[in-house]
């Protein structure tokens, strides 16, 4: 594992702990010699994780769509920046550049990126590990819903279990580095959902 893609908010949220966690995550990636790949913004949690990694002498790659370059105040001090034409191109490029994926707190955009990379994993478009840093219990309700979707027959156990969830940054990164690729099998024809 050499590069970790981080999905997170372009805002900071209402609790200062989220900015602290983003900064700690950026510093931890740099300390471990892992490249940060993220959405390229300089504001919100995106700015915090990138700035912390840069201040700790880490390598940071941003990927941002042309339309959002100004809106998300594209970061001008990164190790590497890709300005791409669309959101679809952004997400695809981030997947190409990364060896693992982690969602920090964020809104609809973060959830979109998390669910897309999970879906691509489920369908076999990639076999890279996907993690969720459940800082301050932010994702408790989402995880409860994921379990509910499994119980109702819409998410298979293998795919639910493939999402690596932790509250500790170092432990999460260790688990991602040790994760085995998710095996894609035949679609279920019984009550076990895909």
């Amino acid at each position: 594992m050499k590069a970790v893609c981080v999905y997170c908010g372009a805002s900071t949220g209402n609790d200062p702990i989220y900015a602290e966690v983003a900064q700690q995550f950026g510093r931890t990636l740099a300390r471990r010699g892992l490249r940060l790949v993220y959405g390229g913004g300089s504001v919100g949690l995106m700015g915090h994780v990138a700035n912390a990694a840069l201040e700790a002498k880490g390598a940071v790659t941003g990927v941002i769509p042309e339309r959002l370059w100004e809106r998300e105040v594209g970061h001008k001090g990164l190790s590497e920046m890709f300005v791409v034409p669309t959101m679809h191109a952004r997400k695809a490029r981030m997947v190409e550049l990364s060896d693992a994926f982690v969602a920090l707190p964020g809104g609809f955009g973060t959830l979109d990126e998390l669910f897309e990379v999970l879906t691509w994993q489920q369908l076999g478009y990639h076999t890279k590990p996907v993690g969720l840093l459940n800082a301050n219990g932010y994702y408790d309700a989402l995880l409860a819903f994921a379990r509910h979707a499994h119980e109702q027959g819409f998410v298979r156990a293998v795919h639910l279990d493939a999402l690596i969830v932790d509250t500790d940054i170092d432990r999460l990164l260790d688990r991602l580095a040790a994760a085995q690729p998710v095996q894609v099998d035949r679609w279920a024809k019984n009550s076990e959902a895909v």
Side-chain angles (χ1 to χ4, degrees):
M1 189 169 78
K2 295 180 180 178
V4 176
C5 179
V6 173
Y7 303 128
C8 60
S11 61
T12 56
N14 295 330
D15 192 326
I17 195 167
Y18 299 128
E20 293 169 20
V21 165
Q23 291 165 3
Q24 185 182 358
F25 200 93
R27 287 191 298 268
T28 302
L29 290 179
R31 176 176 48 83
R32 286 175 165 241
L34 297 169
R35 174 176 286 275
L36 166 65
V37 177
Y38 84 115
S42 64
V43 296
L45 296 189
M46 288 199 297
H48 283 294
V49 71
N51 289 333
L54 290 167
E55 288 165 11
K57 308 298 184 216
V60 180
T61 297
V63 184
I64 193 167
E66 295 165 355
R67 187 171 179 177
L68 297 182
W69 173 251
E70 292 300 329
R71 183 176 177 183
E72 288 186 359
V73 193
H75 202 301
K76 295 177 174 63
L78 304 182
S79 312
E80 185 176 40
M81 174 67 90
F82 295 96
V83 180
V84 296
T86 66
M87 286 292 288
H88 296 294
R90 175 198 227 179
K91 292 186 284 186
R93 186 72 173 139
M94 290 167 80
V95 169
E96 291 170 11
L97 293 169
S98 305
D99 302 311
F101 309 91
V102 175
L104 303 183
F108 288 155
T110 301
L111 294 174
D112 170 59
E113 291 166 325
L114 171 66
F115 282 119
E116 182 163 80
V117 81
L118 281 170
T119 301
W120 288 10
Q121 181 192 64
Q122 175 181 315
L123 297 175
Y125 286 103
H126 75 82
T127 58
K128 302 170 185 179
V130 180
L132 193 63
L133 184 65
N134 193 20
N136 199 35
Y138 182 78
Y139 283 115
D140 286 351
L142 179 70
L143 294 168
F145 173 75
R147 289 189 294 273
H148 173 72
H150 168 66
E151 291 163 2
Q152 296 301 310
F154 290 101
V155 175
R156 298 177 87 177
V158 66
H159 300 127
L160 183 63
D161 294 342
L163 178 60
I164 300 169
V165 181
D166 216 309
T167 57
D168 181 85
I169 294 169
D170 278 303
R171 192 170 55 221
L172 177 60
L173 291 171
D174 288 343
R175 292 175 65 196
L176 289 168
Q180 297 298 312
V182 175
Q183 298 300 313
V184 178
D185 55 2
R186 294 187 310 247
W187 299 113
K189 294 184 180 180
N190 54 30
S191 60
E192 190 179 12
V194 291

